[in-house]
Amino acid sequence: MSDLGSEELEEEGENDLGEYEGERNEAGERHGHGKARLPNGDTYEGKYEHGKRHGQGTYKFKSGAWYVGEYVKNKKHGQGTFIYPDGSRYEGEWADDLRHGHGVYYYVNNDSYTGEWFAHQRHGQGTYFYAETGSKYVGTWVNGQQKGTAELIHLNHRYQGKFLNKNPVGPGKYVFDIGCEQHGEYRLTDVSWSLLNWEALRLKAFCAGSGMSTGAVLPSPSCLILVLSRSIFSPWIILWRVGNHSDH
């Protein structure tokens, strides 16, 4: 889901005065509390300082979007909440009109992101919750993308490893609630990003109650087979085969 809607919503500048009702200083500048109707149809009510929005205020766009929070010299800066025209919203820190610092973004499909932002993008540590599946990604983000060490948590299992462009890459492991782990490595086997095909290699498992010692490398065929869908965000299909298997 996109969280970049605010680029299309620019507030009127300090020279677009429009109609104003409120306090002024000795120089005649808007100063203190006031209400303004701007030439483009937007409205603002809140604090001014030397003619600029400064302090707590509410800015309403004619599109239906609105912002309530702190301003510094006409820019959103500090704590604030922005409601976008599509119904999504951001609650958190701002700097120079950009989402920056810690904040929560609620998407129209009920997904959410909670974590760090840098220059309007998810960047740093954060958690993305997928409402449809109940899964969540907990880990590192770089310039809006899932990248680096993270954990993808599902209903009855989780994957721990590194991610690149929303996909697991390199060594990692699955941890199942029933007491088993599966270790392996992901590599990209199809260079076409539109048809991602990931392959798990060098598998090991630690199976509770299987009689296997911790860290034992499984023979082939193994006691645990994991069938992966192409999308890591779809539910994983787990097939179990338990029994005595001879080495091949």
Side-chain angles (χ1 to χ4, degrees):
M1 296 296 294
S2 173
D3 51 23
L4 302 179
S6 62
E7 276 81 7
E8 303 174 1
L9 300 169
E10 296 184 1
E11 299 178 6
E12 290 281 76
E14 58 188 281
N15 295 322
D16 302 314
L17 298 179
E19 302 174 4
Y20 175 75
E21 178 185 344
E23 298 175 299
R24 296 180 182 271
N25 59 16
E26 294 180 357
E29 299 172 314
R30 301 178 183 186
H31 194 90
H33 187 271
K35 300 178 181 179
R37 179 173 294 278
L38 304 168
N40 67 353
D42 295 349
T43 63
Y44 172 79
E45 180 175 359
K47 295 293 185 179
Y48 284 88
E49 187 173 292
H50 299 295
K52 297 182 179 181
R53 296 184 290 274
H54 192 95
Q56 191 73 19
T58 299
Y59 191 106
K60 295 183 179 180
F61 295 83
K62 62 181 179 180
S63 65
W66 56 279
Y67 169 83
V68 56
E70 296 176 289
Y71 281 90
V72 173
K73 295 182 178 180
N74 257 18
K75 292 186 177 181
K76 296 183 287 292
H77 196 100
Q79 290 290 326
T81 297
F82 201 112
I83 309 295
Y84 294 92
D86 63 0
S88 61
R89 77 181 188 275
Y90 171 79
E91 300 176 358
E93 296 178 294
W94 297 78
D96 293 326
D97 267 345
L98 301 175
R99 296 184 293 269
H100 192 93
H102 186 274
V104 183
Y105 199 109
Y106 299 93
Y107 299 87
V108 292
N109 66 348
N110 293 321
D111 288 0
S112 65
Y113 170 81
T114 303
E116 296 177 293
W117 297 78
F118 183 85
H120 232 42
Q121 297 191 66
R122 298 180 295 256
H123 190 92
Q125 290 295 311
T127 298
Y128 192 102
F129 173 73
Y130 297 89
E132 183 177 1
T133 63
S135 302
K136 60 183 177 180
Y137 171 95
V138 182
T140 306
W141 298 74
V142 177
N143 296 326
Q145 301 296 319
Q146 298 171 355
K147 183 178 180 180
T149 303
E151 188 173 34
L152 186 62
I153 304 172
H154 297 287
L155 181 62
N156 57 6
H157 68 285
R158 63 188 62 202
Y159 176 78
Q160 299 171 344
K162 290 187 176 180
F163 286 75
L164 178 65
N165 295 325
K166 297 184 178 181
N167 291 282
V169 61
K173 68 177 180 178
Y174 287 91
V175 180
F176 300 93
D177 292 350
I178 58 176
C180 286
E181 293 184 1
Q182 184 181 34
H183 292 228
E185 180 179 355
Y186 276 97
R187 68 180 181 184
L188 183 64
T189 59
D190 188 336
V191 296
S192 172
W193 288 101
S194 61
L195 293 174
L196 288 173
N197 180 23
W198 295 85
E199 181 180 3
L201 304 174
R202 301 203 306 267
L203 298 180
K204 294 194 296 183
F206 308 104
C207 298
S210 66
M212 298 175 57
S213 60
T214 301
V217 178
L218 293 179
S220 180
S222 65
C223 75
L224 171 63
I225 299 177
L226 181 65
V227 180
L228 305 177
S229 65
R230 284 182 180 268
S231 170
I232 63 170
F233 302 125
S234 300
W236 301 104
I237 303 171
I238 311 301
L239 302 179
W240 294 91
R241 291 197 305 172
V242 180
N244 295 322
H245 300 285
S246 60
D247 292 344
H248 293 273

